[in-house]
Amino acid sequence: MCSGPAEPTQRLFFALWPDTGVRDALAGFAHAHIHKQARRVPDANLHITLAFPGSVSASVRECLEAAAAGIQGSPFELTIDRVGYWPRPRILWAGSSHPPAEVWSLVKALRTALLACGLQPEPRPWQAHVTLARKARHALPVTEIDPICWSISEFCLVESVTNPSGPVYRIIRRWPLEGQTLSMG
Ligand code: 2AM
């Protein structure tokens, strides 16, 4: 049996995108502390991934967008106060020692959205991190950093396009966290 032409797909992920102040603080730390041998993530690409659908068709994207639009959440603050190193992927990252309950709820809701759209969420437990550099040879000498306070009032769906010069991320939709509460009675 012949198969038809492959359906076009987009590589997508849900993320928290930093505002200019947070991005500059993260980039400032990375520029000051990360050796040039490591491949620093371009400033414009810094983010926290919440869930990773990967390559999906237009109909799955529609399903994900509809599910995301139904997620209710309140704005919250996330403090970036630590850095770490994962030796296997050779990644240097910045993260939060105490991710607030709201971000866990958001991640859980997005995992449910992925499942509802027929996708398998990442089996590894989610870790609140911003990848700062790849191909890093070793950890940084510090594990704590001056806290960067990140006020979060939306999450977004991002497309990742791999160019010869590296990945380019494009925010394709944003959903506000409006703090809606159900009225009782
Ligand atoms: P990383 O920063 O930890 O590498 C775009 O590729 C974003 O999606 C990156 O932030 C990347 O996380 C994340 N990502 C890539 N592949 C992934 C996977 N298989 N599971 C979860 N997140 C992934």
Side-chain angles (χ1 to χ4, degrees), residues 11 13 47 49 52 91 122 124 129 131 134 169:
R11 189 175 156 89
F13 61 99
H47 66 275
T49 299
F52 184 77
I91 278 177
E122 161 73 27
R124 285 173 300 189
H129 75 279
T131 295
R134 303 177 195 281
Y169 300 143

Side-chain angles (χ1 to χ4, degrees), residues 17-32:
W17 218 260
D19 58 32
T20 323
V22 170
R23 188 196 62 204
D24 289 351
L26 289 165
F29 175 84
H31 285 254

Side-chain angles (χ1 to χ4, degrees), residues 107-175:
V107 167
K108 192 167 163 226
L110 288 168
R111 292 172 86 100
T112 305
L114 262 63
L115 283 169
C117 297
L119 302 171
Q120 276 305 315
E122 161 73 27
R124 285 173 300 189
W126 179 77
Q127 305 210 45
H129 75 279
V130 179
T131 295
L132 297 177
R134 303 177 195 281
K135 303 205 169 171
R137 294 205 183 141
H138 39 73
L140 296 176
V142 291
T143 54
E144 287 177 19
I145 62 172
D146 285 344
I148 299 170
C149 187
W150 186 346
S151 297
I152 290 158
S153 56
E154 63 177 22
F155 67 99
C156 47
L157 182 63
V158 186
E159 180 181 21
S160 165
V161 176
T162 307
N163 286 343
S165 54
V168 173
Y169 300 143
R170 183 174 68 95
I171 297 176
I172 53 182
R173 279 200 69 175
R174 299 169 186 268
W175 291 272

